[in-house]
Amino acid sequence: MSCHEKQRTNEKQRSKERQAKKEGQAKKQKKHLNVACIGNPNCGKTTLFNALTGSKLKVANWPGVTVERVEGETGYEDTGITLIDTPGIYSLTCYTIEEKVTRQCAMDDGIDAIINVVDASSLERNLYLTLQLLELGKPMVLALNMIDVVKERGMEIDMHRLPEMLGDIPVVPVSAAKRTGLDILLHALIHHCEEGMEEYVLDYPREIEEKIAALGVRMQTHYPSHSSVRWHAIKLLEDDEEVKREHPISEVSIVDRSYEKEIIQCKYSYIEKVMGETLFYKSKKAASTDKIDRILTHPFWGIPVFLLIMCLVFFLTFTVGDALKGVFETGLDAFSGAAAVLLERLGAAGWLQSLIVEGIIAGVGGILTFIPNIFILFLALAMLEDSGYMARVAYVMDSVMGKVGLSGKAFLPMILGFGCTVPAIMATRALETEHDRRKTMLVTPFMSCSARLPIYVLLSDMFFPKAAALTAFSMYVVGMVIAILAALGVNRLEKGKENDSLLIELPEYKRPNARTIRIYVWNKLKDYLSKAGTTIFVASILIWFVLNFGTAGMVENPADSFGAVLGRILVPVLAPAGLGMWQIGVALLSGISAKEVVVSSFAVLFGVANANSDAGMAAIVQNIHSLNPAFGPLNAYCLMLFCLLYVPCVATVATVKKESGSWKFTMKMIAFQLILAWAVSTLVFQIGSVFV
Ligand code: GDP
Ligand code: MG
């Protein structure tokens, strides 16, 4: 290398150094922290996360809702903060997916600090995780959430003694729901991050402490860069699989057995001490919860009460939904009429007019007219969930679930299935074993999701005008019963044993939070709307195409179309179930894209602009009767049954594939559901025909 070249490299080197220095300074000016919110399920992590970042994540009352870490941005003074919401956990062991996800997040070197969210109204239970997190040795602040509830109940927490007993970390009383104390929390967080962190809060018995010290020395020599040595040592003594894999320790003399029991015991007795010194009751208000729960969670009456409440929800969905429907009806009729006139004026080709008015407007618009019903359904579900009732339903169902070989936890994803099957399938991650997950995935689609509501609304309004709400409600019950029977069947086949029961703790009843409800309902409506704009939009165009084109090009009569050809293949199969019309075949096929599409395709098939209006329904019924005079309420009921049970929509199938990781399982599920749908609706039709 010549002298000249050397100089140039040196120059380059120096300019690089300058650059790095500048960046370093910039970093100092504008700090940035990655902070994880960690806490028990239901302590308000997501509510806090939403309040701090302005996000609209789903807040809910059962495990499995936040199954992956979610990030959002916030800041305080000149510090930017990336906040991470994690799944709720009770301890840092590695048994469930949630625990794994959260533990990884907590230990990640990229995480600068932890906000340990604690439900102050059940401090005792929450502190167990806190003690474990403290041992990690990361900067941490305690967000003493639900402080409003604490006050309401006449409890008082000693705000001097509590931090003292927790290694002097900042303890900030907040209410995520009422948005109080949030600034102080961020302030404490940022200033505390600048200081270090003590790893020591509680001492274990001498024997264990000696072992921790010995392990600490070993690890310091084997893995010198390792922080939180104490935590790793403790985990080794607890015989933690993952830490053992990470730091294989050959000294059997130190880790001669698992000290897990002693370590847990020690934490609990320390918590007892903390509680004794920090928690006081000013006035003990008797919890009214007990009285209500004596009925709502009664081993026998619990289930009938649940069914009654759901029945009420459907009654509301129908009556209020119907009252609001008028507005949408006039709107859609006017819009559809105006569009037709406009296209005529513009001289649009006949096929284009037909595509826009009969294809897209009837297909997508028809779905939009169900918004009032969907809205009421979600509003009611959100209220039930946020008030704390849904957790009780899971509790009541626990014994039933155990008997059919499902984990008690499985009912939680199933309730979620009333909204949409996709997140419900994802929520099965909260289950411990892969086997339990698959069984739950298999039966969850039988819970009637909101996309099936339009089908029930339309068919029961058309064929059961006097008992529409009851008819729709019966679909929900049939779905649940079949889910349970299916689980029982699978269990018998496997000669499975009864499963362990659910360890769910019942949250206090409380007045639903307006913001939580708003976020919940809006998210669901948004999903519904975006589905109308995407899947249903495309499906409507496809349906219009297959019904308006045949081998001879564009056809006048849909009976000559490709759709009719396709539908006729299905007629012999569907006939025993009372569904032997090619139009129904087409509707069911297209319903695989999304279940609402069954309704859209009815609109397109029978050439009505607004299927959900009284005139539209009358036209469809008349049309059906002119094609098949025998088609009556029994047939309609069987059609609803078929829609309830057959293949879930493509989005669900894709999710099942992703979550189970197996095409074989997914295909088996599809086959099972197709056969079941056919068998049940055929059975009902054949038996029903004898009586009707
Ligand atoms: P996560 O499981 O920890 O994410 O908990 P969520 O954020 O889903 O909250 C559980 C429930 O507690 C929701 O119904 C919230 O509305 C409610 N909640 C959260 N923070 C507070 C609070 O500060 N006060 C009260 N009263 N309720 C809260
Ligand atoms: Mg959450």
Side-chain angles (χ1 to χ4, degrees), residues 17-18 26-27 52 71 83 152 156 168 170 266 276 320 326 329 362 388 463 524 548 583 591 603 606 623 625 657:
E17 279 166 16
R18 267 200 306 272
K27 251 188 205 155
L52 288 175
E71 298 187 2
L83 213 57
E152 239 170 64
E156 208 164 11
D168 274 326
C266 204
V320 184
E329 248 166 53
F463 289 94
K524 297 280 179 171
N548 282 278
Q583 288 88 345
F606 297 113
N623 238 317
H625 281 161
K657 159 68 185 57

Side-chain angles (χ1 to χ4, degrees), residues 129 276 482:
L129 180 66
I482 289 195

Side-chain angles (χ1 to χ4, degrees), residues 129 213 273 284 311 341 652 665:
L129 180 66
K273 205 168 134 207
K284 212 163 190 172
C311 192
V341 172
T652 301
F665 171 75

Side-chain angles (χ1 to χ4, degrees), residues 153-167:
R153 288 203 208 137
M155 301 191 307
E156 208 164 11
I157 297 170
D158 185 338
M159 297 305 289
H160 290 285
R161 191 63 188 128
L162 184 60
E164 254 174 36
M165 296 189 82
L166 295 177

Side-chain angles (χ1 to χ4, degrees), residues 33 76 86 103 111 157 222 248 322 350 357 372 384 435 457 468 473 501 506 574 576 581 584 630 649:
L33 293 175
Y76 186 78
T86 60
R103 175 163 144 171
I111 299 291
I157 297 170
H222 288 316
D322 270 0
V357 178
L384 288 179
H435 183 242
V457 171
F473 173 63
S501 61
L506 299 180
L574 293 173
M581 292 170 71
I584 290 177
C649 63

